Amino acid sequence: MQHISKLPTVETTIFTKMSALANTHNAINLSQGFPNFKSDKTLVDFVNKAMQSGYNQYAPMSGSIELRDAIAAKFSDLYNTSYHPESEITVTAGATQAIYTIISAFVRAEDEVIIFKPAYDCYEPAITINGGKTIAIQLEAPSYAVDWELVKQKVNAKTKLVIVNTPHNPSGTVFSENDMLQLQQITEGTDIIVLSDEVYEHIIFDNKQHQSACLFKGLKERSFITASFGKTFHNTGWKVGYCCAPKALMDEFKKVHQFNVFSVNHPMQKGLADYLQTPNHYLELSVFYQEKRDLFLSLIESSRFNALPSQGTYFQVLDYSNITDEYDVAFAERLTIEHKIASIPLSVFNDNNLDNKVLRFCFAKTDETLKQAASILNTI
Ligand code: PMP
Ligand code: GLN
């Protein structure tokens, strides 16, 4: 039997590869982004209780209404904006499924989708498999600032979607208010949809404010916002997230969502709805992770790595050009195999695998793990 791949150039994700390599070589795994500490017992108890009390059959297609109400309340409290829980919020199997579903619902053959590189790796394959064309705009280390004039030049009648991500994985940079205003201005008067991937909205440092697309009237009316409870509540393995958008956009989203997942696991949704009743559960996250970032940075201060600014997310990018000029993928592999510390090379997220000699380290780890990791990095 013969078949022609729909994604001929796509390989297994770097996260899967590096975590597997870390496991094989018994290395400290700061590659794939997940915490190595437990989720709050209160949340786990809520989920257990939900299972014991019978939340074990299909949830409603758009998500448990209690959870959608809690999400709507969060938008209202945090951003003073409203999304209707019945028609403008859908609970998804992680942000990944939301992103895939948004792209599938709107991108047709030959449509153009603008993304910024380095880009999180699930955007481009979803565009390709739906026949769309990725228009990549490369951002440059160390600032990863967007040249909005260039974006303006790339927009044309074929532009269907622009995907933005703040706080940004993998660089750890965040958009300013001005970035969002520029995006708003460029898309004004067009039919362009914005996918604003905000999975790290609650992990932002140094008193910076998260610039959600919902804060800008002209963006809110054309945007999907995607979010992930896995990032916020330390349970990436539960794969529960959500997205919100104005009703007309969400109606189209649901046409696809109902056939690629139908609904998301019910007891987790009930547990998360109960847990969201206490806003401190997410409001305290920035301080928690800023302490981890600062601990990690202070521990590696005397190493030969140079830290790029991490303004949000739980990732720290380190420049290793003082150490070697090896290709970043090769260096990341060698660090894992020889030095027992795993990271993510950024070139895999760049246009034409541009290699800026930087690696991403995940600091969502216990202090003990960060100390062990730093003691290795200090010897390199
Ligand atoms: N977007 C970004 C920027 C991410 O880093 C991730 C991975 N955590 C996702 C989307 C996917 O989130 P989830 O694990 O909820 O599918
Ligand atoms: N978002 C995680 C990261 O950036 C990885 C998720 C995955 O493995 N698909 O590391």
Side-chain angles (χ1 to χ4, degrees):
M1 230 176 100
Q2 281 197 336
H3 69 275
I4 299 168
S5 173
K6 291 181 79 174
L7 297 171
T9 59
V10 169
E11 297 174 13
T12 302
T13 80
I14 191 70
F15 308 117
T16 301
K17 280 187 190 165
M18 292 309 299
S19 274
L21 198 66
N23 290 339
T24 305
H25 294 277
N26 208 11
I28 296 176
N29 189 1
L30 304 195
S31 65
Q32 192 178 22
F34 62 88
N36 74 340
F37 40 84
K38 286 184 183 164
S39 218
D40 186 354
K41 184 175 179 305
T42 308
L43 173 56
V44 176
D45 287 346
F46 281 151
V47 170
N48 274 330
K49 195 170 144 220
M51 284 187 191
Q52 301 297 345
S53 18
Y55 286 81
N56 297 310
Q57 307 309 329
Y58 291 126
M61 187 266 277
S62 310
S64 117
I65 192 64
E66 283 169 276
L67 181 54
R68 283 182 285 149
D69 282 341
I71 293 166
K74 182 161 89 84
F75 273 102
S76 166
D77 292 351
L78 273 182
Y79 305 117
N80 193 23
T81 194
S82 71
Y83 283 99
H84 200 291
E86 290 280 356
S87 55
E88 298 186 316
I89 297 172
T90 301
V91 179
T92 58
T96 310
Q97 184 245 318
I99 292 163
Y100 192 85
T101 303
I102 294 162
I103 294 169
S104 303
F106 292 96
V107 174
R108 293 185 166 85
E110 305 305 321
D111 280 348
E112 294 187 358
V113 181
I114 294 178
I115 68 172
F116 298 93
K117 293 207 168 184
Y120 185 60
D121 65 349
C122 78
Y123 307 150
E124 196 165 352
I127 298 164
T128 308
I129 209 157
N130 283 288
K133 192 171 165 203
T134 298
I135 306 297
I137 296 180
Q138 180 65 49
L139 309 180
E140 295 294 334
S143 74
Y144 297 98
V146 176
D147 174 352
W148 291 103
E149 274 308 311
L150 183 62
V151 180
K152 208 182 273 179
Q153 288 164 24
K154 299 279 182 191
V155 167
N156 62 52
K158 289 186 184 166
T159 311
K160 185 75 202 173
L161 191 65
V162 178
I163 303 181
V164 292
N165 169 219
T166 182
H168 183 247
N169 181 11
S171 75
T173 55
V174 303
F175 270 9
S176 65
E177 183 184 9
N178 183 53
D179 286 315
M180 297 307 268
L181 288 171
Q182 299 272 358
L183 178 63
Q184 176 169 257
Q185 198 185 24
I186 289 170
T187 52
E188 195 182 341
T190 71
D191 293 325
I192 295 171
I193 297 167
V194 170
L195 193 175
S196 185
D197 184 354
E198 302 185 10
V199 297
Y200 300 101
E201 72 180 304
H202 300 302
I203 312 180
I204 183 158
F205 309 136
D206 307 320
N207 295 319
K208 288 208 157 47
Q209 295 299 311
H210 171 57
Q211 301 296 332
S212 174
C214 72
L215 291 168
F216 302 81
K217 190 170 171 292
L219 286 179
K220 187 185 173 196
E221 65 190 27
R222 65 177 72 252
S223 292
F224 277 92
I225 293 174
T226 55
S228 170
F229 289 116
K231 304 285 154 192
T232 306
F233 294 140
H234 316 311
N235 46 42
T236 58
W238 290 7
K239 294 299 295 185
V240 185
Y242 59 91
C243 67
C244 49
K247 181 176 183 306
L249 293 177
M250 192 54 87
D251 285 349
E252 290 304 311
F253 176 93
K254 285 186 201 167
K255 289 180 190 174
V256 181
H257 173 83
Q258 65 184 342
F259 296 121
N260 76 353
V261 64
F262 181 65
S263 69
V264 174
N265 76 74
H266 206 168
M268 301 311 192
Q269 292 194 55
K270 169 66 176 144
L272 286 162
D274 292 343
Y275 197 65
L276 278 171
Q277 303 309 315
T278 307
N280 271 356
H281 288 148
Y282 51 84
L283 293 178
E284 289 168 352
L285 205 60
S286 288
V287 171
F288 174 78
Y289 275 123
Q290 187 170 320
E291 280 173 13
K292 295 226 174 268
R293 178 201 65 173
D294 291 346
L295 172 69
F296 185 53
L297 286 178
S298 70
L299 290 167
I300 59 166
E301 208 177 353
S302 56
S303 79
R304 293 200 290 159
F305 290 91
N306 281 320
L308 272 55
S310 170
Q311 303 166 325
T313 75
Y314 45 50
F315 302 118
Q316 175 63 58
V317 175
L318 298 180
D319 177 315
Y320 64 84
S321 55
N322 275 344
I323 300 170
T324 173
D325 61 4
E326 274 168 274
Y327 178 44
D328 66 353
V329 174
F331 187 48
E333 287 172 2
R334 191 163 72 78
L335 284 183
T336 310
I337 296 166
E338 289 178 14
H339 295 275
K340 309 290 177 206
I341 182 155
S343 59
I344 295 286
L346 256 72
S347 67
V348 299
F349 308 116
N350 281 338
D351 219 19
N352 300 317
N353 292 355
L354 172 76
D355 175 19
N356 289 126
K357 313 286 177 215
V358 286
L359 301 173
R360 189 198 81 177
F361 293 81
C362 172
F363 55 78
K365 305 294 165 190
T366 62
D367 292 356
E368 192 47 44
T369 303
L370 293 176
K371 284 176 194 159
Q372 286 168 3
S375 70
I376 297 174
L377 293 173
N378 287 336
T379 65
I380 294 165

